[in-house]
Amino acid sequence: MGYRTIRHAGLKALAALTALALPASAQAWGFYAHTVTADIALENVRPDTRAGIERLLRASDQLGTPDCDLDTLQDASVWPDCIRGEYWRWGYTFAWHYQTEPITEEYSARKNCSGLNCVSAQVERNQRILADESLPDVVRVEALTFLVHFIGDIHMPLHSGDLSDRGGNDREADYGIVPGLNLHWVWDGPLAERAISEDPPIVRRYSAEERAELAGGNAADWGRESWQISRDFIYPQVFGCDPCEGELPEEVALSQEVLDRSIPIARRRVLQAGLRMAEYLDTAFAPGPLEVEDSRR
């Protein structure tokens, strides 16, 4: 079953309902939030960047993934999740989607990233590949998909959540009347979709002043932000205690008050992901060599 380009008009309610029906492995911040970050990016990139993206996507058939559509940037934003269905071919990429860290210790983007097998390293790596015009288009279009997807992943706070519970995957959480989910999936799917679907519309052209407030930074900065949200907000709010003060329960019911406080944070992270994606794409498609800096601190 391939991922199809999501047309948002008239589909908000359907997306929210479908999110509750899909298993966690099919979600990964992908059914709605990833495509919205791509929409935001397309609204805010330079015209030459948009043209470069369209040209590269013409090489997508060479990747040999007929079950995973790759015609638009929206498709690209969920393609790395779609290929999870072929573990024998793409299993080496699965560790690239996250970078869980102990929330009881100081954050470092170098932790749990041996051999660049983490999301912060892969954001920077794939931007560098995308920017290298000496490489074949098929190599660069693959890098494009990973770049836009991983910029989304690194902004979902629990992709940088606690190492001990795999970013909330091992914490059972009831979402309203829906029991038996887990904390990670709630933030991945229904909570993010609810946040995006609220007015005013999140997909538009943003001013230079708005971008200055919301964008900027590098992958290490974004991972640290997500980790801090997990440590300072998600775990304390959900469990009602400091996560550094002993064992947390394995099961929890998310109250409406917690959900209401979580929605603005989820919405801001989607918006930041889209605007920062636009910046990284503009840099990758800019003339001249990409200046490379190891951002992992």
Side-chain angles (χ1 to χ4, degrees):
M1 179 178 178
Y3 274 51
R4 296 289 173 184
T5 302
I6 296 174
R7 307 301 181 190
H8 301 304
L11 289 180
K12 290 179 179 179
L14 177 61
L17 290 172
T18 305
L20 294 177
L22 288 174
S25 60
Q27 273 287 96
W29 219 42
F31 188 78
Y32 195 21
H34 273 300
T35 58
V36 170
T37 64
D39 287 338
I40 294 169
L42 280 177
E43 288 291 327
N44 289 276
V45 294
R46 298 189 309 263
D48 59 309
T49 298
R50 182 187 288 263
I53 291 169
E54 292 174 354
R55 187 190 68 77
L56 270 187
L57 286 169
R58 297 184 196 126
S60 61
D61 287 348
Q62 299 176 48
L63 286 169
T65 57
D67 292 332
C68 298
D69 290 344
L70 191 48
D71 299 319
T72 67
L73 194 67
Q74 292 88 346
D75 293 337
S77 73
V78 294
W79 182 88
D81 278 343
C82 183
I83 61 172
R84 287 175 181 243
E86 294 186 350
Y87 179 87
W88 59 272
R89 184 179 175 194
W90 299 102
Y92 69 94
T93 70
F94 294 178
W96 297 355
H97 292 251
Y98 60 89
Q99 191 171 3
T100 50
E101 307 282 356
I103 56 174
T104 57
E105 302 175 10
E106 287 299 316
Y107 178 88
S108 169
R110 293 184 181 274
K111 288 181 182 177
N112 302 313
C113 197
S114 175
L116 304 183
N117 285 308
C118 71
V119 66
S120 64
Q122 289 299 323
V123 167
E124 305 295 351
R125 171 181 174 269
N126 282 286
Q127 187 197 33
R128 184 174 183 177
I129 293 171
L130 177 61
D132 190 345
E133 296 182 354
S134 71
L135 296 174
D137 283 355
V138 66
V139 175
R140 295 179 67 211
V141 76
E142 180 181 307
L144 171 66
T145 68
F146 283 127
L147 176 64
V148 298
H149 182 85
F150 293 149
I151 289 177
D153 275 349
I154 202 170
H155 281 82
M156 204 291 272
L158 286 168
H159 278 257
S160 299
D162 192 28
L163 178 65
S164 67
D165 65 8
R166 299 186 304 125
N169 275 292
D170 296 333
R171 307 283 183 188
E172 185 174 320
D174 294 347
Y175 178 78
I177 63 172
V178 183
L181 307 179
N182 66 62
L183 181 59
H184 187 104
W185 186 48
V186 168
W187 271 80
D188 258 353
L191 180 60
E193 288 161 5
R194 181 177 167 189
I196 297 165
S197 299
E198 292 194 347
D199 289 328
I202 198 170
V203 178
R204 63 177 174 84
R205 180 80 179 179
Y206 286 82
S207 68
E209 292 76 15
E210 289 171 316
R211 291 191 221 176
E213 176 194 354
L214 293 164
N218 56 44
D221 299 325
W222 311 336
R224 182 178 292 102
E225 290 171 353
S226 286
W227 175 82
Q228 287 178 327
I229 292 169
S230 295
R231 182 196 64 185
D232 298 340
F233 178 80
I234 297 177
Y235 286 91
Q237 288 288 318
V238 167
F239 297 105
C241 60
D242 189 324
C244 301
E245 295 178 352
E247 292 295 321
L248 297 177
E250 294 183 1
E251 301 178 16
V252 69
L254 300 181
S255 69
Q256 187 59 50
E257 291 77 14
V258 169
L259 293 174
D260 289 342
R261 287 192 290 268
S262 303
I263 286 172
I265 295 173
R267 182 179 175 91
R268 182 180 177 89
R269 292 307 280 169
V270 173
L271 176 52
Q272 287 178 313
L275 293 178
R276 289 162 168 174
M277 186 187 300
E279 288 185 337
Y280 262 50
L281 290 170
D282 277 345
T283 299
F285 283 98
L290 177 69
E291 293 186 9
V292 179
E293 176 185 354
D294 186 355
S295 65
R296 294 175 301 137
R297 301 188 293 273

